[in-house]
Amino acid sequence: MNTESHIDCKQCKNRYKSIFCDLKEEEVDVLSLGKACKTYKKGEEIFTQGTPPKGIFIINAGKVKISRLADSGNEQIVKMVNSGEILGYRALLSNEMYSSSAVALEVTSICFLPRHLFFRFIEQNATLAGALLKIAASDLKHTERKLVDLSQKTARERIAEALLYLKEIYGYEQDQTTINVILTRGDIANIAGTTRETSIRVLAGLKKDKIIDFSGKSIKVKDFPGLVSLANISD
Amino acid sequence: MNTESHIDCKQCKNRYKSIFCDLKEEEVDVLSLGKACKTYKKGEEIFTQGTPPKGIFIINAGKVKISRLADSGNEQIVKMVNSGEILGYRALLSNEMYSSSAVALEVTSICFLPRHLFFRFIEQNATLAGALLKIAASDLKHTERKLVDLSQKTARERIAEALLYLKEIYGYEQDQTTINVILTRGDIANIAGTTRETSIRVLAGLKKDKIIDFSGKSIKVKDFPGLVSLANISD
DNA sequence: CGCCGACTTGATTAAATTCAATGTCGGTGG
DNA sequence: CCACCGACATTGAATTTAATCAAGTCGGCG
């Protein structure tokens, strides 16, 4: 939770450059003014569903889940985020309350860029707006795909796809097998849009079929092609 | 299918202005160069899933559904579109094949803006990029919401919500009651992410409960508040 | 040591899909 | 004009899937 000076935070500048490719050095400097860095503990909320957005967040290091809580208490994970990504731009752009919450999955370091700076930049800098547009288009693509999957695939297919998704976002650990993120079975269920029990049963089935392996929360992919064909991905 | 000269098509210019608010007159003129207008028959495809995007489409008049076909043959409607909206920008921005198809639901007049012009504009004109960004943010919001609904709501709630969605997009006819679009039961099912049979049964139930009324394909909303509370909308 | 949170497993239940059959409407051609 | 065709709508019954409910287990931590 400590707030560093923007001068200390060289890492952030590099993030800006990699996200908004082609930004000039002085543009990065201006972006860096007025922003603040924070460290969030595991489980801590970065922003909360139903509250107004005050700026955007850029993840320096760590992992975050974006999820939406229904009145029923059910949680649906909308997106998993890794370091280097932008967070919270959607609500800001449509000028609405956050429709989902962001929670740190581990110790996470995040830069905050206040809204007035954010808007000044996308209004004045077509490159940045274009970069953001591409991010939005990519988010939209992934969300549309999830939408279609949810309505057309079985729980088994969706869990398989969730594992592939996690591998895509977080990659493997050094062993090139273990998916590099620790989640509860409930979280995996909430990515796949099913219940904890179903996710447990499906994971157990995948283990028996030697597609994956696990003991505890780390999941190893033993048969990647098998997982892909199970997930039944179309494009 | 006739292609009009861009000079004839005054309507298009007004569309540009309303979509990309604040465009100057000469910018609209440049946008108008090189574009073409077409009229599509009912059922005709505007673009096809799996093909490369060549530009964006702007609907002058008519109604369109955007849907994605799975290998299984199942169709999921991703979005319903009315006149005045932009179409097909997503695939263009992420530089991918179309992940869904667009089909005219009735006789529909559409302007086409080729990709080189589109990109020149969003690169040079921050206002336009910003406007598009807001459209993308709005699309993303709607898609995220649908995603959550699909995983958490019953078929009845989703059908109720689909009707509200159609009313929001297309409005009522003169009687201020009849939803201003003609769809098959299958289409409604594909919006709600269920089967034709289920959509028929649920619609029959809503009719019996005097929430809606219909004979044939036109649907009348008799109890709007009832429909809203059925749909169980959170935000 | 005992407790808490997460995990696991089995049994039951509910919801919705699937399958099958029939009905209706609009258009088309003889 | 009428018979027929095809597309869509409707209804009932069987089946499947996954949610829900109910216990019991495991592992870490105060």
Side-chain angles (χ1 to χ4, degrees):
Chain A
M1 269 297 233
N2 70 81
T3 302
E4 307 166 25
S5 151
H6 70 273
I7 294 168
D8 299 346
C9 188
K10 216 173 187 76
Q11 214 182 356
C12 303
K13 292 197 186 179
N14 294 325
R15 284 292 176 215
Y16 283 131
K17 279 197 238 177
S18 67
I19 293 175
F20 306 119
C21 44
D22 305 326
L23 271 199
K24 298 189 198 75
E25 187 68 36
E26 67 265 26
E27 292 174 328
V28 173
D29 285 340
V30 180
L31 266 179
S32 297
L33 287 171
K35 73 158 177 44
C37 292
K38 260 193 189 180
T39 301
Y40 294 81
K41 291 194 286 279
K42 178 177 175 176
E44 207 173 341
E45 270 194 344
I46 294 139
F47 57 76
T48 305
Q49 183 173 340
T51 66
K54 297 189 163 37
I56 61 164
F57 301 88
I58 294 162
I59 306 188
N60 281 320
K63 301 182 175 73
V64 174
K65 70 171 177 182
I66 313 288
S67 67
R68 181 165 163 154
L69 209 63
D71 301 328
S72 63
N74 267 15
E75 179 189 356
Q76 170 68 40
I77 293 182
V78 171
K79 192 180 178 182
M80 301 293 293
V81 192
N82 202 354
S83 49
E85 283 192 73
I86 264 190
L87 222 63
Y89 69 90
R90 215 277 302 149
L92 203 54
L93 284 171
S94 11
N95 197 33
E96 288 164 349
M97 304 292 113
Y98 285 119
S99 60
S100 47
S101 300
V103 176
L105 296 170
E106 55 181 50
V107 175
T108 297
S109 152
I110 294 185
C111 285
F112 175 76
L113 181 70
R115 61 177 300 156
H116 66 278
L117 275 181
F118 173 71
F119 277 117
R120 189 189 305 162
F121 266 76
I122 60 169
E123 273 156 25
Q124 294 176 352
N125 186 321
T127 306
L128 201 152
L132 201 58
L133 205 43
K134 275 178 191 139
I135 293 173
S138 160
D139 276 358
L140 190 50
K141 179 201 164 188
H142 281 107
T143 310
E144 272 181 12
R145 180 230 269 274
K146 270 190 155 181
L147 174 74
V148 175
D149 289 347
L150 216 45
S151 79
Q152 300 191 338
K153 291 189 174 177
T154 64
R156 189 177 167 93
E157 290 170 322
R158 296 200 308 269
I159 293 278
E161 191 161 7
L163 294 176
L164 292 173
Y165 175 67
L166 290 172
K167 184 258 164 186
E168 188 191 322
I169 302 286
Y170 298 113
Y172 289 135
E173 292 177 10
Q174 297 74 10
D175 63 3
Q176 299 304 311
T177 304
T178 307
I179 295 173
N180 188 27
V181 64
I182 300 293
L183 296 174
T184 67
R185 299 299 144 103
D187 280 333
I188 294 174
N190 292 336
I191 295 173
T194 183
T195 60
R196 185 167 31 99
E197 292 95 324
T198 299
S199 106
I200 287 167
R201 280 185 253 261
V202 170
L203 288 173
L206 295 178
K207 184 178 178 180
K208 192 159 57 165
D209 295 348
K210 304 201 188 306
I211 306 283
I212 63 170
D213 197 12
F214 58 83
S215 67
K217 290 188 186 163
S218 289
I219 296 178
K220 290 179 196 297
V221 177
K222 290 180 75 179
D223 179 2
F224 185 80
L227 199 56
V228 171
S229 90
L230 257 181
N232 208 7
I233 294 168
S234 49
D235 24 41
Chain B
M1 267 298 233
N2 71 81
T3 301
E4 307 167 25
S5 150
H6 70 273
I7 294 167
D8 299 347
C9 188
K10 214 171 188 78
Q11 213 181 354
C12 304
K13 291 197 186 180
N14 293 327
R15 285 292 176 216
Y16 284 131
K17 279 196 235 175
S18 69
I19 292 174
F20 305 121
C21 43
D22 305 327
L23 272 198
K24 298 187 199 77
E25 187 69 35
E26 67 265 26
E27 293 174 326
V28 173
D29 285 340
V30 181
L31 266 179
S32 295
L33 287 170
K35 73 156 176 48
C37 292
K38 261 193 189 181
T39 301
Y40 294 82
K41 290 193 286 279
K42 177 177 175 175
E44 207 174 341
E45 271 195 344
I46 294 139
F47 57 77
T48 306
Q49 183 174 340
T51 65
K54 297 189 162 39
I56 61 165
F57 301 86
I58 294 161
I59 306 188
N60 281 320
K63 301 182 174 73
V64 174
K65 69 172 175 181
I66 313 289
S67 67
R68 180 165 164 154
L69 210 62
D71 301 328
S72 63
N74 266 14
E75 179 189 357
Q76 170 68 42
I77 293 182
V78 171
K79 192 181 177 181
M80 302 293 292
V81 193
N82 202 354
S83 50
E85 283 193 73
I86 263 190
L87 223 61
Y89 69 91
R90 217 276 302 150
L92 204 54
L93 283 172
S94 8
N95 197 30
E96 289 165 349
M97 304 292 112
Y98 285 118
S99 60
S100 47
S101 301
V103 176
L105 296 169
E106 55 180 48
V107 175
T108 296
S109 152
I110 293 185
C111 286
F112 175 76
L113 180 70
R115 60 176 299 153
H116 66 278
L117 275 181
F118 173 71
F119 278 117
R120 189 189 304 163
F121 266 77
I122 61 168
E123 274 157 25
Q124 293 176 353
N125 186 321
T127 306
L128 202 151
L132 202 57
L133 205 42
K134 275 178 192 141
I135 294 173
S138 160
D139 275 358
L140 190 50
K141 179 202 164 186
H142 281 106
T143 310
E144 273 182 11
R145 180 232 268 276
K146 269 190 157 181
L147 174 74
V148 175
D149 288 348
L150 217 43
S151 78
Q152 300 191 337
K153 290 189 175 178
T154 64
R156 189 176 166 93
E157 290 170 321
R158 295 201 308 269
I159 293 278
E161 191 161 7
L163 294 177
L164 291 173
Y165 175 67
L166 291 172
K167 185 258 163 183
E168 189 190 322
I169 302 285
Y170 299 112
Y172 290 134
E173 292 175 10
Q174 296 75 8
D175 64 3
Q176 299 303 311
T177 303
T178 307
I179 296 173
N180 188 27
V181 63
I182 300 293
L183 296 173
T184 67
R185 298 299 143 104
D187 280 333
I188 294 174
N190 292 337
I191 294 173
T194 183
T195 59
R196 186 166 30 101
E197 291 95 325
T198 299
S199 106
I200 286 167
R201 280 186 253 262
V202 169
L203 287 173
L206 294 179
K207 184 179 179 180
K208 192 159 53 162
D209 295 349
K210 305 201 187 306
I211 307 283
I212 63 171
D213 197 13
F214 58 83
S215 68
K217 290 187 187 162
S218 289
I219 295 177
K220 290 179 194 300
V221 177
K222 291 180 73 179
D223 179 3
F224 184 81
L227 199 57
V228 171
S229 89
L230 257 180
N232 207 6
I233 293 167
S234 49
D235 23 39

